[in-house]
Amino acid sequence: MKKNPHVNLSRRERQIMDVLYRRGRATAAEVRQDMPDPPGYSAVRAMLRVLEEKGHIRHEEEALRYVFVPTASRALATRSALAHLVTTFFEGSWSGNRL
């Protein structure tokens, strides 16, 4: 089975991805501004770098600043997360009556 890169994000990484999915694109300052109880700016920049290294986001340079963009659609990320959940908790299948 091919390993899915859009699973196993930390809470803060998921918060950053949520901001980017909502906005479509954002600078580090904009991401930080939209996060609940945001960490410092340097911490946000570090997490953005990690997310980029993991392949979840990419950056574009605009007017001497980096703008970050998700690499996959929110729908794809949601399907990936649900598939991971089903695999993890329901051994790959779920009929709806196992709750």
Side-chain angles (χ1 to χ4, degrees):
M1 176 180 214
K2 183 179 174 185
K3 187 173 179 179
N4 188 328
H6 293 280
V7 296
N8 298 327
L9 296 177
S10 72
R11 176 179 61 93
R12 287 297 199 186
E13 289 171 337
R14 282 193 310 273
Q15 289 173 346
I16 289 172
M17 293 304 299
D18 286 343
V19 169
L20 291 173
Y21 284 129
R22 233 182 358 262
R23 285 180 163 260
R25 54 194 295 112
T27 64
E30 291 167 337
V31 168
R32 184 178 182 275
Q33 173 186 336
D34 285 6
M35 289 177 73
D37 188 29
Y41 179 79
S42 296
V44 172
R45 289 279 303 161
M47 285 183 269
L48 286 165
R49 182 178 33 79
V50 169
L51 285 167
E52 191 164 20
E53 288 171 359
K54 290 180 176 182
H56 297 284
I57 63 174
R58 62 182 171 80
H59 74 271
E60 299 170 354
E61 292 185 46
E62 290 182 5
L64 301 176
R65 62 186 187 157
Y66 283 177
V67 178
F68 297 90
V69 181
T71 58
S73 71
R74 181 175 214 137
L76 176 62
T78 300
R79 281 194 304 274
S80 297
L82 287 174
H84 178 69
L85 180 75
V86 168
T87 299
T88 301
F89 294 103
F90 300 103
E91 298 173 356
S93 65
W94 181 60
S95 63
N97 61 1
R98 296 174 101 181
L99 296 177

